[in-house]
């Protein structure tokens, strides 16, 4: 079973097989963690993204990591929060689950996630964390072997505290 951990910090600094990008459907960059990933990876990342023809919400696509310490970037698109009656939870669940599925297909053993949709897409942080953990736990139950280490990289204290409490890490 994969080891789950939570850290506070910058996703672009993670030395893992793949980091996950909280992108938009164009896959052509943006602000937040997406902007930080493109800045750190360099312009070749955008060039590869242009060949992918975008990505639907809840789905995922993979590129190389270029100048990042991570070998790959898995680009997924979380939902914009519209109040909770627009399938947001299912779409966020799918964004995490499909990212892990794609990672498995590419023999990725270590992967780090940001808190998808909790920035400019305004998904409530507690519900987002519960949904992310449910997707990760379901994936690991269905596929116990291939992925060894899953890290949630939180940028802000609020998300870090939520994940810390949910994952129940001893002090
Ligand atoms: N490392 C880790 N987490 C980060 C970093 C970083 N370097 N920078 C920001 N975060 P957001 P979304 C956190 O807005 O809500 C983009 O423009 C941030 O604190 O990046 O899914 C895309 O192109 C927050 O907790 O993504 C889309 O248009 C989390 O990352 C749109 O934003 C996600 O915030 C996607 O919105």
């Amino acid at each position: 079973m994969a080891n789950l951990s939570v850290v506070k910090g910058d996703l672009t600094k993670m030395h893992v097989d793949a980091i996950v990008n909280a992108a938009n459907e164009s896959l052509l960059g943006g602000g937040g963690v997406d902007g930080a990933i493109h800045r750190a990876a360099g312009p070749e990342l955008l060039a590869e993204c242009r060949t992918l023809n975008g990505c639907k919400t809840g789905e995922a696509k993979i590129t190389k990591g270029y100048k990042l310490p991570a070998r790959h970037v898995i680009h997924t698109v979380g939902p914009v929060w519209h109040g909770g009656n627009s399938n947001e939870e299912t779409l966020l669940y799918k964004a995490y689950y499909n990212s892990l599925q794609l990672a498995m297909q590419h023999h990725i053993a270590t992967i780090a996630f940001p808190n998808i949709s909790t920035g400019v897409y305004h998904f409530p942080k507690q519900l987002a964390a519960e949904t992310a953990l449910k997707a990760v736990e379901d994936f690991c139950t269905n596929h116990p072997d291939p992925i060894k280490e899953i890290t949630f990289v939180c940028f802000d204290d609020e998300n870090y505290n939520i994940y810390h409490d949910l994952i129940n890490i001893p002090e």
Side-chain angles (χ1 to χ4, degrees):
M1 194 65 113
N3 183 45
L4 296 192
S5 59
V6 52
V7 298
K8 189 156 177 284
D10 183 349
L11 185 67
T12 66
K13 304 279 196 283
M14 295 296 290
H15 290 256
V16 285
D17 294 339
I19 59 171
V20 178
N21 185 12
N24 58 62
E25 288 192 343
S26 79
L27 295 187
L28 299 180
V33 71
D34 192 5
I37 288 171
H38 277 273
R39 277 193 300 279
E44 287 168 299
L45 178 61
L46 182 58
E48 186 176 356
C49 284
R50 284 193 202 284
T51 69
L52 298 178
N53 296 315
C55 181
K56 293 200 179 106
T57 301
E59 296 184 3
K61 296 203 175 170
I62 190 165
T63 64
K64 290 190 252 179
Y66 299 98
K67 293 189 178 130
L68 290 163
R71 253 189 318 123
H72 295 282
V73 181
I74 291 176
H75 305 261
T76 191
V77 184
V80 178
W81 181 257
H82 288 296
N85 292 319
S86 304
N87 219 20
E88 292 98 326
E89 267 180 79
T90 304
L91 289 167
L92 187 64
Y93 180 98
K94 283 182 63 187
Y96 280 92
Y97 200 97
N98 287 332
S99 294
L100 290 167
Q101 190 102 36
L102 190 57
M104 180 176 73
Q105 286 160 4
H106 288 263
H107 309 291
I108 281 160
T110 58
I111 185 167
F113 283 95
N115 307 132
I116 300 166
S117 287
T118 69
V120 302
Y121 282 1
H122 290 301
F123 202 109
K125 290 177 179 174
Q126 179 74 33
L127 182 59
E130 289 166 7
T131 306
L133 278 170
K134 173 111 181 64
V136 165
E137 283 164 4
D138 287 352
F139 182 88
C140 292
T141 302
N142 296 338
H143 308 281
D145 283 335
I147 300 187
K148 303 295 179 207
E149 182 79 46
I150 301 172
T151 308
F152 294 99
V153 180
C154 303
F155 207 56
D156 57 272
D157 286 331
E158 194 185 347
N159 265 317
Y160 178 77
N161 291 333
I162 289 169
Y163 274 89
H164 192 275
D165 289 350
L166 285 174
I167 294 181
N168 213 352
I169 301 160
E171 293 294 343

